[in-house]
Every structure is written in C-alpha cells, then in structure tokens.
Amino acid sequence: ARVLPVVCAERKARFNLKASRKSRVFRRSAEIPQTQGVPTPEVVAIHVSNVVSIQRGSELDALKKLSTLVYDTKHAANEAAALGPQAATVSPSVLLHLLSTNHGSDVGSIEGALVYEACAVENFAGYSEDVRHDCVLDKAFCNLAAMMASRVTGSVSVEVVEATNDADFICAKALRMRDMLLELGVDVGARVLFKIPCTWQGVLAVERLEQQGVKCHVTQVYCLEQAAAAARAGAALVQVYVGRTRTWYQKHPIAAVHNNLGDAPDAGIELVKQVASLIRDEGLSAKVIAASVKSKNDALALAGCEYILMNERVISTLNESLSASDGDELQDGFKHGSAPVVGEVMEKVFAAALRNSPGAEELAHALDVNAAADAKLKQFIANYSGSLV
C-alpha cells in the first residue's frame, strides 16, 4: 500500500487530502499539463486590484450606484476590493492555470480529489477508467469551489463540462457535484451556481435542475431566442457577451437586420438591453450579467444591467474619469428598453437562431476549449495514477 505524506490537517479534513505539494504530484514538472492553446480563465475570482478605492464623483462611482460590478481577472487569488461583493468561477481552464503555476494552497483541490475514496475504481463496477477520471475531476472542481466560497461573498459558478452535450448527462454531473459540495459543508442553494453552456440540451438540463432547486448560470448567450429559452427554463443568471456579439454582427450586417439589431448603434449593447427587457416584461426571475465589456463606453452604456463584468483596464479608466451625471441618465438609457416578441422557442427555432447569430460559432469554440482543457486534466490524472502502480 502506498503511503502519501499528510499536509495541513485542515486541508486533509476538508478535501480528503493525503498528498502534499512536495509529493510526486508536483515534483515532476513533466506531469503538469501545459496550457498552450487553452485560454486563461475568463473569470476566476476577485484579485487584488490597483483600484484600491473608488474615486468619489468618478464614472465608476456613478456606475456602481446602478449595477453590481464584478472584476474580471485570470488570477486565482481572492481579496476584498472596492467594488463590493465578488464572485468566482471554477472551470477546466482554472484548474490548468493552478497546476501550471503551482498556485498556493489552491493546488490542494486536485491533490485531494486524486485520493477521494468515492472515485476509487472499485466503486465503479462495470465502468471504465475514464469514468473514474471524470469523477476525480468533478471532485477537484468541488474542492476548489469550496475554497472560493470561503473567500468571496458572492456566488461561485462551477462549470459543468459534459462532452456528450446531453441533458441527462449534464443533470447527472451537476447533481453529483452538488452532493460533493454538500459533503464539504457548502450551502449550495445560497452560494453555488452551476455554469452550463446555452445549447438546446443545456437548456433542457437547466429546466430539470432548477425544478430540483439547483441554481444555474447559463453562459454563451448570443441571441434573444437563447436568452428566452434559458430564462423561461428558470435559469438564475444569463450571461451575454457584448464585444463578441458586436464584432460578429459587424461582419454579418444582414443578420443584424433579421435579428432586430440593425438599427441599433451597437448590436452587443442592444442585445443585453433586449434580454433584460424580455426577462422584465415576462416577469421571469433570471438576472443578466454582461461580459466581454471592452471599454468604459461599453460599461456606461450598460448602466442598470444587474451585473457587469469588467477587467482592470476598464475599471481604472472609469475611476479616473469624472462623471458628468449623478447616474440618472445612465439608468434611464437602460431600463426603458424594449424587446421584440419572442414566441415559443422549440428546438428548430433555437437551432435556426444559433445559425443566424454568433451563437453557433461561439458555442462550438467554447465547447472545444473546454473539451481540450478537460482532456489535459484527465491525462494528468491518468499519468499520476499510473506512476503509483
């Protein structure tokens, strides 16, 4: 029987951790998966920002009165910042980033998962080694999510990576991860969102999960039909991408006309407004988070959106600029928008909407990136497991 050195008792108790950072997991740099070709995390958690305080009377100060501002960073450190309550996301890219940088105590999330008894081969009778690797990876996500929940005051979004893109498998994975988080003492209902791409199967899964009290963060939303389907399914949070949407429609102006975005000065901003208006007009409970915010002008145009995700460059620019308004003008420009009527969204309508918007291309790219990161992590798990035989 192998004996692995035991580290901090607290980490062992929380994450079933039996291997230290000095163990063979981290001694062999060749075993650490490389992140080439896999983008760094889009949102990991709040990191110490150069914006240590919000300048009174600045555009950042005015914007904060109207929207919850979230700091978009690729660092895994979590510290309180001037923006207020913060959130975190756990994904394959995040774990790869931690392994490649050997980042602090956070690497314990995967160490503990490697020796988690419930993922042992004998507990998967009739299943393949790949299934065990999948279990280990889910456990690592949950370990890291528990760490994040102890450091941020907002929600932690845990990415549900399911290669088959099948509603049954997505639900099964999310429910297993929910149970793992409950084992770690995390208040899942209050603190955790399960992040699911807005494919048709993803929407079906969201509806089932929300009916069981599992809150979902629907991502990769690029058209109104996606947003309508997700919000009507009960999603807690819908993430719309401003810059990516704008860039795509600049290259496909005819599609903008067909999607009621042709008359808008900015298709990305207009889509966020339409999504928010549809949710409000239909009395749905979903919140909207605007991502891919490229400039301070984007941010100001989004004032009134429930959540705005911004990088440090945009935040700093807003903080250095004095506001010409107390915020009322910004609020009026967003809250009084309208949305085209969206009828019942069935699978064929959903698929057509994806083809005629950035949705199809962006979803395919996002799923490929997650699959590549997921494969690298599973290879790491396989290499480590094999080295102990």
Side-chain angles (χ1 to χ4, degrees):
R2 68 179 186 273
V3 179
L4 298 176
V6 177
V7 293
C8 172
E10 179 183 355
R11 289 170 68 197
K12 178 184 176 185
R14 289 194 70 193
F15 307 120
N16 314 99
L17 183 61
K18 298 179 183 177
S20 76
R21 290 181 65 201
K22 294 182 180 179
S23 70
R24 74 177 79 190
V25 180
F26 295 99
R27 279 208 308 267
R28 299 182 181 181
S29 59
E31 292 181 358
I32 298 176
Q34 301 302 307
T35 57
Q36 293 179 354
V38 180
T40 49
E42 177 180 274
V43 188
V44 182
I46 188 65
H47 178 69
V48 180
S49 168
N50 291 328
V51 182
V52 294
S53 64
I54 296 178
Q55 182 179 344
R56 189 170 182 177
S58 68
E59 289 179 327
L60 185 63
D61 188 29
L63 186 57
K64 190 175 184 293
K65 296 174 183 177
L66 304 177
S67 300
T68 298
L69 310 181
V70 182
Y71 180 22
D72 181 359
T73 174
K74 57 191 176 185
H75 295 281
N78 294 259
E79 298 291 346
L83 297 182
Q86 295 298 317
T89 292
V90 176
S91 70
S93 296
V94 173
L95 279 180
L96 279 175
H97 186 67
L98 293 178
L99 285 173
S100 63
T101 59
N102 210 4
H103 189 86
S105 62
D106 293 343
V107 295
S109 60
I110 197 164
E111 287 182 300
L114 286 164
V115 291
Y116 181 55
E117 290 183 3
C119 291
V121 175
E122 56 266 27
N123 292 324
F124 285 102
Y127 289 90
S128 67
E129 187 73 3
D130 286 342
V131 175
R132 188 185 77 83
H133 295 163
D134 200 47
C135 177
V136 170
L137 194 51
D138 287 350
K139 175 60 175 169
F141 275 33
C142 292
N143 287 349
L144 184 58
M147 288 180 175
M148 296 299 105
S150 70
R151 301 175 190 175
V152 298
T153 54
S155 297
V156 178
S157 289
V158 181
E159 194 116 20
V160 179
V161 181
E162 178 46 59
T164 61
N165 187 32
D166 177 272
D168 291 338
F169 286 98
I170 293 171
C171 287
K173 180 180 280 285
L175 292 173
R176 177 167 70 182
M177 294 170 79
R178 176 201 61 183
D179 293 343
M180 289 176 174
L181 285 163
L182 290 172
E183 285 180 351
L184 295 170
V186 177
D187 186 348
V188 177
R191 300 299 310 282
V192 177
L193 298 172
F194 288 92
K195 194 173 183 181
I196 298 172
C198 197
T199 62
W200 178 251
Q201 290 296 314
V203 170
L204 297 180
V206 166
E207 185 172 31
R208 296 181 202 172
L209 290 168
E210 289 282 355
Q211 289 173 352
Q212 298 180 63
V214 178
K215 295 181 180 179
C216 299
H217 170 174
V218 176
T219 186
Q220 301 298 328
V221 174
Y222 294 94
C223 63
L224 196 56
E225 289 82 358
Q226 278 183 294
R232 291 168 184 172
L237 188 65
V238 174
Q239 185 163 331
V240 187
Y241 296 78
V242 175
R244 299 180 196 175
T245 298
R246 173 172 56 229
T247 299
W248 191 88
Y249 279 115
Q250 287 171 345
K251 298 176 181 178
H252 304 84
I254 300 301
V257 174
H258 288 308
N259 290 338
N260 300 291
L261 297 171
D263 294 331
D266 189 302
I269 300 294
E270 179 63 20
L271 178 60
V272 178
K273 291 181 178 180
Q274 289 186 7
V275 169
S277 296
L278 180 144
I279 290 171
R280 182 189 63 233
D281 294 345
E282 294 191 12
L284 302 171
S285 60
K287 303 295 183 183
V288 179
I289 181 167
S292 189
V293 176
K294 301 298 185 181
S295 67
K296 79 164 190 172
N297 290 336
D298 281 355
L300 293 173
L302 291 164
C305 183
E306 285 99 341
Y307 299 95
I308 306 175
L309 187 65
M310 300 184 295
N311 61 33
E312 180 150 355
R313 177 182 56 79
V314 174
I315 292 171
S316 296
T317 304
L318 287 166
N319 203 36
E320 293 166 0
S321 304
L322 291 178
S323 175
S325 163
D326 61 3
D328 291 338
E329 289 182 24
L330 302 177
Q331 186 177 30
D332 289 343
F334 191 82
K335 287 195 171 181
H336 296 296
S338 62
V341 175
V342 178
E344 185 177 8
V345 181
M346 303 301 289
E347 186 173 8
K348 287 185 178 180
V349 172
F350 189 90
L354 289 183
R355 290 193 299 270
N356 294 319
S357 74
E361 294 177 20
E362 292 291 344
L363 268 170
H365 175 70
L367 293 174
D368 285 346
V369 167
N370 270 346
D374 190 62
K376 287 178 182 290
L377 285 168
K378 288 180 179 177
Q379 186 59 53
F380 169 74
I381 293 168
N383 291 345
Y384 173 72
S385 301
S387 71
L388 297 176
V389 176

